[in-house]
Amino acid sequence: MSEQQEMIRVEKLNKSFGKLHVLKDIDLQVNESDVVVLIGASGSGKSTLLRCLNFLEMKNSGKIIIEGEQIEKDTHDLNKVRERVGMVFQHFNLFPHKTVIGNVIEAPTQVKGIPKGQAIKEGKELLDKVGLGDKYDVYPSTLSGGQKQRVAIARALAMKPDVMLFDEPTSALDPELVGEVLSTMKELAKEGMTMVVVTHEMGFAKEVGDWVVYMHDGKIVESGPPAEIFDNPKEERTQAFLSSIL
Ligand code: ADP
Ligand code: MG
């Protein structure tokens, strides 16, 4: 991971909700074009970590450095930072009263002030890319869960982020729809998008991940290349977690 440009660096990140200490001295580095996969049991702090990286949650202490800049809410416009760090959630939260293309152009036109014609042109290209070239004009309610999630990915990409965070993007989907969303993500990875992905899809982690991070109880217990983590985990907790899910 050494030759690539550093995209995100986290140092000694701590986050509490009241008395609940959820993230404990998290150190993490994500390099350009890397796919980092976060795994761990429910409640271990994976979503909170992603949300801190996107400043949907505010850290209590530690550093979050994005593209070389230490981001603090007092010195940075967090909305601007969020434009660089896209996020896709488990529940897609599309606007039901807007068409697919309407959903995709909403943020570029409203937040970035991109002219509508240009946003539509770029939005259609993104929808073609996620395999929804024939669905521009339909409403989300007519789509399957997998299609909705691909619209959500196109919508996040429409802001031209430098890094994409995915929080269990396939967990709410029927099993037969998981594959199409994972292939879209794999394509994105192949094109060189920097990605941090929380998932229970270990096949994806092995095949697409460059680096796997195992979290337990708010701490990073172990991290390494997929082959190391899956085939030769050093920590007992990692071994126990993997045998519980595989
Ligand atoms: P994971 O994504 O790994 O399942 P989360 O980051 O969602 O874990 O949650 C970690 C812990 O923080 C859990 O105990 C959860 O209940 C708690 N938590 C998450 N968000 C909040 C919140 N907004 N307020 C209070 N507690 C929260
Ligand atoms: Mg979560």
Side-chain angles (χ1 to χ4, degrees):
M1 318 227 314
S2 57
E3 305 267 314
Q4 297 154 279
Q5 199 73 14
E6 171 189 293
M7 181 66 74
I8 297 177
R9 184 151 48 95
V10 171
E11 290 179 10
K12 292 237 172 298
L13 181 69
N14 283 275
K15 169 69 184 172
S16 298
F17 293 107
K19 282 184 185 160
L20 187 66
H21 194 177
V22 174
L23 297 177
K24 302 168 182 167
D25 285 339
I26 298 288
D27 289 317
L28 179 72
Q29 185 173 329
V30 182
N31 289 334
E32 201 179 314
S33 298
D34 266 356
V35 176
V36 172
V37 179
L38 281 181
I39 61 172
S42 175
S44 57
K46 306 178 301 295
S47 294
T48 304
L49 175 54
L50 284 195
R51 293 170 65 81
C52 284
L53 294 180
N54 197 32
F55 303 92
L56 292 172
E57 296 289 353
M58 294 303 146
K59 67 186 163 77
N60 294 104
S61 65
K63 292 182 186 172
I64 299 173
I65 298 156
I66 307 220
E67 295 175 291
E69 252 183 288
Q70 186 180 330
I71 309 295
E72 297 292 345
K73 67 176 187 306
D74 299 336
T75 51
H76 286 79
D77 178 350
L78 296 180
N79 287 320
K80 284 272 172 239
V81 178
R82 279 187 210 109
E83 291 177 15
R84 291 192 269 152
V85 184
M87 187 145 170
V88 173
F89 302 88
Q90 184 175 341
H91 298 285
F92 350 95
N93 308 319
L94 299 175
F95 298 116
H97 57 287
K98 286 188 191 290
T99 61
V100 163
I101 190 71
N103 269 275
V104 173
I105 68 167
E106 175 71 11
T109 54
Q110 298 303 310
V111 179
K112 274 190 162 174
I114 306 286
K116 197 170 171 189
Q118 184 190 335
I120 289 175
K121 180 173 169 289
E122 292 176 356
K124 284 183 170 177
E125 285 165 11
L126 288 170
L127 287 166
D128 285 339
K129 195 164 116 147
V130 300
L132 294 173
D134 54 345
K135 299 287 185 189
Y136 305 146
D137 289 327
V138 307
Y139 284 87
S141 61
T142 67
L143 300 177
S144 72
Q147 291 172 328
K148 283 180 194 164
Q149 190 57 298
R150 286 185 281 143
V151 173
I153 293 172
R155 180 179 57 176
L157 290 173
M159 292 300 275
K160 303 191 171 130
D162 295 332
V163 51
M164 286 274 283
L165 312 176
F166 292 86
D167 193 358
E168 299 200 36
T170 62
S171 294
L173 299 177
D174 291 334
E176 72 272 19
L177 303 177
V178 168
E180 63 191 63
V181 172
L182 293 179
S183 354
T184 300
M185 292 166 64
K186 188 173 153 187
E187 279 305 306
L188 206 51
K190 256 201 246 166
E191 288 172 14
M193 177 58 79
T194 310
M195 295 163 52
V196 183
V197 182
V198 174
T199 187
H200 298 294
E201 295 292 335
M202 295 302 145
F204 176 87
K206 281 184 196 176
E207 191 190 340
V208 183
D210 295 294
W211 196 255
V212 177
V213 174
Y214 170 60
M215 284 182 70
H216 176 80
D217 194 20
K219 292 190 205 110
I220 293 178
V221 173
E222 184 168 2
S223 63
E228 212 169 275
I229 298 294
F230 292 113
D231 301 334
N232 197 13
K234 290 187 184 59
E235 301 292 332
E236 232 169 84
R237 282 203 182 282
T238 319
Q239 291 163 14
F241 174 72
L242 289 172
S243 50
S244 77
I245 53 159
L246 293 176

